[in-house]
Amino acid sequence: MLVLTAIAVVRMRSLFAIAMLSGVFSLLSALLFVTLDAVDVAFTEAAVGAGISTVLVLGTLALTSRFEKPTKRSPVLPLFVVFVTGAALIYGTLDMPNFGSPEAPAQMHVGPDYLEDSVHEINIPNVVTSILASYRGYDTLGETAVVFTAGIGVLLLLSGLRRRRRDDEEDESEEV
Amino acid sequence: MGFELTQEYILGHLNYWLFSVLMMTGLYIVVAKGNLVKKIVGLNIFQTSVFMLYISMGKVTDGTAPIFPLDMDVDPDVIYSNPLPHVLILTAIVVGVATTALGLALIVRIQEEFNTIEEDDILKIERAIVQTENAIHGDAMGGRA
Amino acid sequence: MRHHLILRVITKLLVGAIMLFAFYVQFHGDFSPGGGFQAGVIMAVAFILYGLVFSLHNVQQVFPPWLVHKLVALGVLIYAGTGIVSLFLGYSFLDYGAFTPDHPSHGQHYGIFAVELGVGITVTAVMVAIYYAFAGRPPRLSDEEW
């Protein structure tokens, strides 16, 4: 299903349909996250991918154009690049542990420690929250700062011109 | 390499291969398509497939979501999936949408500046600008510009 | 959007429920799936939905842009401030045990609460600010062209 949606995105010309399909893609991947036990992630993906991203892409389309122009470039070189990269990636996965294997290196070190220590050190049921906010508080602080910076960047890019264009209306929103 | 192509091996690696295919679909959109909005959507597909790769690494067979019972009476026999990838990806998704918004904002500015969001057209316009500037300043710099 | 009666009525009903759900996700995040990031996004969705169905002007009367821009910074300040407070109490940065030295796991609860609040405020404000920035531009396509 996911692959079908992705291929549909490749084939489509109408950007509106692409925006909708990317929302569908996000919802499908949220379902996949639920089956992989990552309920928090699925929650975020559903809210962000299907909600906010779609609105943002649609907002951009309203400001730009609705259709993609057919490109004249030949798809041979990109296809070649993609196949070589894909082959390298799949070659890289050959040494990976089996899916769901409890002996995988990823399950051996910090993961179980967090699960065990969190019970008496943090004492809240949702281990994801306890790692997010406490064990890895630095990471989360950094990520909040990234979100903050991206927001400032968007404001710098998009609200400067508006002020110039509507100088006469600038009475109640000086701080924009 | 020392591996055999058994059924168990294939089933155990099918998830990685599926995510690689998805990742390459996203990469193809980014590389081959000229429309900037479509490139961003392709980048999103690429990003989501990386997320899936991480989450699938954290899955343990017969495991359940890493949330303890409300009374904190943890049963040692219950297997929980690894919560660490969940944390990393959870924050990455929100950061991802913020950076996507930044990219879309850049596209909007490009549209206002060049009146197109097709890569080929933008290149053409930029080349024309460079040529006119060379024509103006070329003589002043001794023909070296 | 003058004519969409059903959309307008449903939106009025839904916005309150969405906000309530956002608060639930924010403050119940310790016990069930959820937390600052998700709650922030859901909260922002409530404002964005209101802005889409009614108008940008209406939603900006409820949640004015200057307030949004202040909140963007306030969230990060709460987060970093929590770390600084624990620093001043003689513990390391972001060590929440500092808040109740005789019962470390309670301190962790307070710390996580404050930090998640900061995250939630920043994410809400950034998403709403981004939406305002996009929607505040004069569109090139009219409603009929879609």
Side-chain angles (χ1 to χ4, degrees):
Chain A
M1 285 292 278
L2 283 165
V3 177
L4 281 185
T5 320
I7 289 173
V9 173
V10 180
R11 306 291 309 166
M12 285 279 184
R13 284 242 183 289
S14 161
L15 292 174
F16 180 74
I18 286 177
M20 290 301 149
L21 276 175
S22 73
V24 169
F25 185 83
S26 284
L27 270 185
L28 286 175
S29 55
L31 281 179
L32 187 77
F33 289 144
V34 172
T35 57
L36 291 174
D37 295 341
V39 277
D40 285 86
V41 180
F43 201 166
T44 324
E45 179 70 38
V48 165
I52 303 231
S53 304
T54 314
V55 169
L56 285 182
V57 174
L58 288 182
T60 315
L61 293 188
L63 296 175
T64 56
S65 66
R66 243 197 86 181
F67 287 100
E68 179 198 13
K69 272 199 216 156
T71 170
K72 288 178 286 296
R73 287 181 293 174
S74 90
V76 178
L77 184 64
L79 269 181
F80 175 72
V81 170
V82 161
F83 272 111
V84 169
T85 321
L89 279 178
I90 287 180
Y91 178 72
T93 63
L94 293 182
D95 278 341
M96 298 279 275
N98 272 359
F99 172 68
S101 147
E103 283 93 39
Q107 324 293 356
M108 300 306 284
H109 302 289
V110 281
D113 284 356
Y114 283 140
L115 278 171
E116 279 166 27
D117 295 346
S118 175
V119 178
H120 50 267
E121 279 184 7
I122 315 277
N123 199 27
I124 62 171
N126 190 349
V127 189
V128 175
T129 304
S130 77
I131 296 179
L132 179 91
S134 187
Y135 289 117
R136 298 205 157 227
Y138 278 121
D139 287 17
T140 313
L141 176 59
E143 256 131 18
T144 316
V146 172
V147 173
F148 169 76
T149 318
I152 300 289
V154 172
L155 288 180
L156 279 178
L157 279 171
L158 286 189
S159 45
L161 202 71
R162 192 177 59 181
R163 181 187 284 175
R164 236 177 292 153
R165 198 173 289 165
R166 299 185 187 166
D167 256 341
D168 44 341
E169 298 170 23
E170 281 281 357
D171 41 0
E172 83 281 9
S173 55
E174 308 89 347
E175 277 151 281
V176 174
Chain B
M1 291 281 295
F3 65 87
E4 296 161 58
L5 219 55
T6 59
Q7 192 192 3
E8 192 199 345
Y9 181 85
I10 292 180
L11 281 180
H13 287 68
L14 206 57
N15 62 321
Y16 303 124
W17 300 337
L18 174 73
F19 301 146
S20 301
V21 169
L22 270 181
M23 219 179 278
M24 287 309 108
T25 316
L27 185 64
Y28 177 76
I29 298 178
V30 175
V31 177
K33 300 292 171 179
N35 188 293
L36 294 177
V37 174
K38 202 161 171 179
K39 272 180 198 280
I40 293 272
V41 172
L43 213 55
N44 267 334
I45 291 179
F46 189 97
Q47 190 185 22
T48 312
S49 63
V50 175
F51 296 162
M52 290 174 195
L53 182 69
Y54 265 71
I55 297 293
S56 78
M57 282 180 201
K59 168 78 179 168
V60 182
T61 313
D62 297 330
T64 178
I67 296 175
F68 298 136
L70 266 187
D71 51 3
M72 296 303 293
D73 186 14
V74 182
D75 182 356
D77 293 335
V78 177
I79 306 169
Y80 291 104
S81 288
N82 192 344
L84 191 55
H86 301 184
V87 175
L88 301 179
I89 297 313
L90 172 57
T91 48
I93 289 177
V94 179
V95 170
V97 75
T99 45
T100 302
L102 195 62
L104 291 174
L106 279 172
I107 292 177
V108 171
R109 294 290 291 118
I110 288 173
Q111 163 79 31
E112 285 173 354
E113 220 45 53
F114 292 102
N115 208 22
T116 173
I117 53 168
E118 301 290 334
E119 203 184 23
D120 298 345
D121 298 350
I122 296 169
L123 273 179
K124 224 177 280 170
I125 295 171
E126 285 203 320
R127 220 167 275 148
I129 293 174
V130 168
Q131 268 167 8
T132 49
E133 287 197 341
N134 277 354
I136 295 169
H137 303 298
D139 292 334
M141 292 174 70
R144 272 177 288 127
Chain C
M1 282 283 177
R2 283 277 115 208
H3 39 288
H4 292 159
L5 180 67
I6 296 176
L7 271 183
R8 295 161 72 89
V9 173
I10 296 293
T11 305
K12 274 187 186 166
L13 287 174
L14 269 183
V15 165
I18 292 176
M19 284 184 175
L20 191 64
F21 184 60
F23 281 121
Y24 168 77
V25 170
Q26 170 86 51
F27 298 122
H28 208 262
D30 303 358
F31 308 102
S32 58
F37 283 101
Q38 293 94 328
V41 171
I42 294 172
M43 191 56 136
V45 163
F47 288 109
I48 292 176
L49 176 68
Y50 193 82
L52 283 178
V53 173
F54 295 92
S55 69
L56 188 65
H57 179 71
N58 283 339
V59 72
Q60 286 190 341
Q61 281 182 328
V62 182
F63 199 24
W66 63 265
L67 181 64
V68 178
H69 297 160
K70 296 271 186 318
L71 287 180
V72 170
L74 179 70
V76 183
L77 273 181
I78 290 180
Y79 199 130
T82 314
I84 305 271
V85 168
S86 71
L87 210 58
F88 275 117
L89 289 173
Y91 286 69
S92 45
F93 190 64
L94 289 174
D95 185 352
Y96 312 132
F99 300 124
T100 48
D102 44 332
H103 199 315
S105 77
H106 277 192
Q108 293 284 351
H109 291 194
Y110 294 133
I112 290 175
F113 181 84
V115 161
E116 294 271 14
L117 189 65
V119 171
I121 290 176
T122 296
V123 173
T124 309
V126 166
M127 295 299 161
V128 173
I130 289 173
Y131 168 69
Y132 282 177
F134 274 92
R137 304 231 134 199
R140 281 181 73 239
L141 302 175
S142 62
D143 276 356
E144 285 74 32
E145 272 185 81
W146 285 101

Coordinates of all heavy atoms in Angstrom, one line a residue, chain B residues 67 70 90-91 94 97 101 104-105 108 111-112, chain C residues 31-33 37-38 41 123 127 130 134 137 140:
Chain B
I67 N 4.7 1.0 27.5 CA 4.0 1.7 28.5 C 3.6 0.8 29.6 O 2.9 -0.2 29.4 CB 2.7 2.4 27.9 CG1 3.2 3.4 26.8 CG2 1.9 3.1 28.9 CD1 2.0 4.0 26.1
L70 N -0.8 1.3 34.9 CA -0.9 2.5 35.6 C -0.4 2.4 37.1 O 0.2 3.4 37.6 CB -2.3 3.0 35.7 CG -2.8 3.9 34.6 CD1 -4.2 4.4 34.8 CD2 -1.8 5.1 34.5
L90 N 10.1 10.3 17.3 CA 9.0 11.2 17.7 C 9.5 12.7 17.6 O 8.8 13.5 17.0 CB 8.7 10.9 19.2 CG 7.8 11.8 20.0 CD1 6.5 11.9 19.3 CD2 7.6 11.1 21.3
T91 N 10.7 13.0 18.1 CA 11.1 14.4 18.0 C 11.5 14.7 16.5 O 11.2 15.8 16.0 CB 12.3 14.6 18.9 OG1 13.2 13.6 18.7 CG2 11.9 14.7 20.3
V94 N 8.5 16.0 14.4 CA 8.1 17.4 14.6 C 9.1 18.3 14.0 O 8.8 19.3 13.4 CB 7.8 17.6 16.1 CG1 7.4 19.1 16.3 CG2 6.8 16.7 16.6
V97 N 8.6 18.4 10.3 CA 7.6 19.3 9.7 C 8.0 20.7 9.8 O 7.7 21.5 8.9 CB 6.2 19.0 10.4 CG1 6.1 19.6 11.7 CG2 5.1 19.6 9.5
A101 N 8.3 23.1 6.5 CA 7.6 24.5 6.4 C 8.6 25.5 6.0 O 8.3 26.4 5.2 CB 7.0 24.9 7.8
L104 N 9.1 25.1 2.3 CA 7.9 25.6 1.5 C 7.9 27.1 1.5 O 7.6 27.7 0.5 CB 6.6 25.1 2.2 CG 6.4 23.6 2.0 CD1 5.2 23.1 2.7 CD2 6.2 23.2 0.5
A105 N 8.4 27.7 2.7 CA 8.5 29.2 2.7 C 9.5 29.6 1.7 O 9.2 30.7 1.0 CB 8.9 29.6 4.1
V108 N 7.8 29.6 -1.7 CA 6.9 30.7 -1.9 C 7.7 32.0 -2.3 O 7.4 32.7 -3.2 CB 6.1 31.0 -0.6 CG1 5.3 32.3 -0.7 CG2 5.2 29.8 -0.4
Q111 N 8.8 31.7 -5.8 CA 7.7 32.0 -6.7 C 7.6 33.5 -6.9 O 7.3 34.0 -8.0 CB 6.5 31.3 -6.1 CG 5.2 31.9 -6.7 CD 4.9 31.3 -8.1 OE1 5.2 30.1 -8.3 NE2 4.2 32.0 -8.9
E112 N 7.7 34.2 -5.8 CA 7.5 35.6 -5.9 C 8.6 36.3 -6.6 O 8.4 37.3 -7.3 CB 7.3 36.2 -4.5 CG 6.0 35.9 -3.8 CD 5.9 36.3 -2.4 OE1 7.0 36.8 -1.8 OE2 4.9 36.2 -1.8
Chain C
F31 N 1.2 9.0 31.4 CA 0.6 7.7 31.7 C 0.1 7.0 30.4 O -0.1 5.8 30.4 CB -0.7 7.9 32.6 CG -0.3 8.7 33.8 CD1 -0.7 10.1 33.9 CD2 0.3 8.1 34.9 CE1 -0.3 10.8 35.0 CE2 0.7 8.9 36.0 CZ 0.3 10.2 36.1
S32 N -0.1 7.8 29.4 CA -0.6 7.2 28.1 C 0.2 7.8 27.0 O 1.0 8.7 27.2 CB -2.1 7.4 28.0 OG -2.3 8.8 28.0
P33 N 0.1 7.3 25.8 CA 0.8 7.9 24.6 C 0.5 9.4 24.6 O -0.7 9.8 24.7 CB 0.2 7.2 23.4 CG -0.3 5.9 23.9 CD -0.7 6.1 25.3
F37 N 5.0 17.3 22.3 CA 5.1 17.5 20.9 C 3.7 17.2 20.2 O 3.2 18.0 19.5 CB 6.1 16.5 20.3 CG 7.5 16.9 20.4 CD1 8.3 16.4 21.4 CD2 8.1 17.9 19.6 CE1 9.6 16.8 21.6 CE2 9.4 18.3 19.8 CZ 10.1 17.7 20.8
Q38 N 3.1 16.1 20.6 CA 1.8 15.8 20.0 C 0.7 16.8 20.5 O -0.1 17.2 19.6 CB 1.3 14.4 20.5 CG 2.1 13.2 20.0 CD 3.2 12.8 21.0 OE1 3.7 13.7 21.7 NE2 3.6 11.6 21.0
V41 N 1.0 20.0 18.5 CA 0.5 19.9 17.2 C -1.0 19.9 17.2 O -1.6 20.6 16.4 CB 1.1 18.6 16.5 CG1 0.4 18.4 15.2 CG2 2.5 18.7 16.3
V123 N 5.8 24.3 20.4 CA 5.3 23.6 19.1 C 4.0 24.3 18.7 O 3.8 24.6 17.5 CB 5.2 22.1 19.4 CG1 4.5 21.5 18.2 CG2 6.5 21.5 19.6
M127 N 3.8 26.2 15.1 CA 2.9 25.8 14.0 C 1.9 26.8 13.6 O 1.6 27.1 12.4 CB 2.2 24.5 14.4 CG 3.1 23.3 14.7 SD 3.9 22.9 13.2 CE 5.3 21.9 13.9
I130 N 3.6 29.6 11.7 CA 3.9 29.2 10.3 C 2.6 29.3 9.5 O 2.6 29.8 8.3 CB 4.4 27.7 10.2 CG1 5.9 27.7 10.8 CG2 4.4 27.2 8.8 CD1 6.4 26.3 10.9
F134 N 1.9 31.7 6.2 CA 1.5 31.2 4.8 C 0.1 31.8 4.4 O 0.0 32.3 3.3 CB 1.4 29.7 4.8 CG 2.7 29.0 4.5 CD1 3.5 28.6 5.5 CD2 3.0 28.8 3.2 CE1 4.7 28.0 5.2 CE2 4.2 28.2 2.9 CZ 5.1 27.8 3.9
R137 N -0.3 35.7 3.2 CA 0.1 36.2 1.9 C -1.1 36.3 1.0 O -2.0 35.4 1.0 CB 1.1 35.3 1.3 CG 2.3 35.1 2.2 CD 3.5 35.3 1.4 NE 4.4 36.2 2.2 CZ 5.4 36.9 1.6 NH1 5.6 36.8 0.3 NH2 6.2 37.6 2.3
R140 N -2.5 33.5 -5.1 CA -2.5 33.7 -6.5 C -3.7 33.0 -7.1 O -4.2 33.3 -8.2 CB -1.3 33.1 -7.2 CG -0.1 34.1 -7.0 CD 1.1 33.5 -7.7 NE 1.0 33.5 -9.1 CZ 1.1 32.5 -9.9 NH1 1.2 31.3 -9.4 NH2 1.1 32.6 -11.2

